[in-house]
Amino acid sequence: MLGNARVMKCHRQDVGGLRANGFTKALPLHNERSRRASPVVHAERRKATALMVDGGVLARKFGAAVGHVSLVGVLLLSGGVSHARMEGVNKPELLPPGPVTPVIDVAGFLTEGEEARIKTRVENLEKDTGVKLRVLAQNYPDTPGLAIKEYWGVDDDTVVFVADPNTGNILNFNVGTNVDFRVPRSFWSKLSGRFGNKFYWTDNGEDVAIVNAVAAIDNCLREPMGRLQCNTIRGELE
């Protein structure tokens, strides 16, 4: 499994082998019957609401808050509407040949210049902050899917950003636990709402949405931690 991660989103989706649940949080148990439940029952409920992706099964979604996620494959978390379940995909043949790259564009959304610029930005971000931002542009079912887990070595310091127009909201994220501690939970929903909504990327292009999202993540992770951290979504092509 990919390790624990916090995720954010507003709907459920299974793309590239991972059912994506948008921003989700486990709701508190308010009724009297729930309060009297045994510790074992509460433990099972907490377990059931954890976002676990193992063999394509994801049992928790994103909401106003964020949940824990174990990632296997391409986990899509976005702010779009609910979609039908997509079957899992595992196509390592779609991975690029040669050295490992932090940016994979199997959908052809990015120009060569945009891809190179994003790659440089991502590499500098990892060098300066230790956060591994990984970008996959896909058009389901044309995606490496589960193959990206091992290819990128996704861990608690990794943010997997999957751009896929089939999810409605094109911005989808899997956020590692260590990154979640550093970034306000509201940031990801604001980012999806700003650059990921269908009106934005259909008017401006998928590439513009991707470039701006990468810039916003980079800017956020470089801000000092505090009450106003990542409060403003700052893209690049604005």
Side-chain angles (χ1 to χ4, degrees):
M1 292 201 295
L2 291 182
N4 290 332
R6 293 258 184 182
V7 234
M8 303 118 203
K9 171 179 176 177
C10 302
H11 73 269
R12 304 182 63 180
Q13 179 88 31
D14 189 338
V15 176
L18 301 164
R19 178 177 295 179
N21 288 338
F23 286 109
T24 325
K25 70 175 180 179
L27 297 178
L29 304 175
H30 293 299
N31 61 65
E32 193 63 31
R33 182 179 179 182
S34 296
R35 284 197 292 268
R36 289 198 300 265
S38 70
V40 174
V41 172
H42 284 303
E44 289 303 313
R45 283 172 177 164
R46 286 194 296 271
K47 185 185 299 183
T49 57
L51 232 192
M52 300 298 292
V53 179
D54 190 359
V57 178
L58 184 60
R60 177 178 174 178
K61 63 180 179 179
F62 262 179
V66 193
H68 290 288
V69 173
S70 290
L71 174 78
V72 175
V74 182
L75 176 59
L76 296 186
L77 306 169
S78 76
V81 297
S82 179
H83 292 267
R85 184 178 185 271
M86 295 182 181
E87 295 303 318
V89 173
N90 185 13
K91 298 179 179 178
E93 66 273 15
L94 293 182
L95 293 170
V100 174
T101 175
V103 183
I104 301 175
D105 181 18
V106 293
F109 294 147
L110 302 169
T111 66
E112 289 185 5
E114 289 170 334
E115 186 171 340
R117 190 163 71 249
I118 290 175
K119 181 179 179 180
T120 298
R121 189 159 198 162
V122 164
E123 290 173 343
N124 288 336
L125 177 67
E126 182 174 353
K127 180 174 63 177
D128 296 340
T129 69
V131 175
K132 300 188 296 183
L133 176 60
R134 300 294 182 258
V135 181
L136 171 63
Q138 67 176 40
N139 199 336
Y140 180 86
D142 296 324
T143 171
L146 296 169
I148 69 163
K149 173 198 169 188
E150 182 177 351
Y151 178 81
W152 277 332
V154 178
D155 57 20
D156 289 344
D157 294 311
T158 305
V159 175
V160 177
F161 166 23
V162 181
D164 190 323
N166 292 290
T167 61
N169 189 303
I170 198 173
L171 306 186
N172 309 277
F173 308 100
N174 177 72
V175 181
T177 301
N178 293 338
V179 182
D180 179 63
F181 288 139
R182 299 174 56 171
V183 177
R185 295 177 179 181
S186 60
F187 169 74
W188 305 101
S189 57
K190 290 180 180 178
L191 177 57
S192 292
R194 179 72 183 280
F195 298 129
N197 73 80
K198 192 169 184 177
F199 295 105
Y200 184 87
W201 62 262
T202 53
D203 287 346
N204 298 280
E206 295 93 343
D207 59 331
V208 173
I210 295 169
V211 170
N212 274 325
V214 169
I217 295 170
D218 183 28
N219 290 330
C220 169
L221 286 166
R222 293 178 184 277
E223 292 182 14
M225 296 182 69
R227 186 172 59 87
L228 299 179
Q229 179 193 5
C230 307
N231 191 49
T232 301
I233 305 300
R234 295 181 294 126
E236 177 177 305
L237 303 177
E238 297 183 284

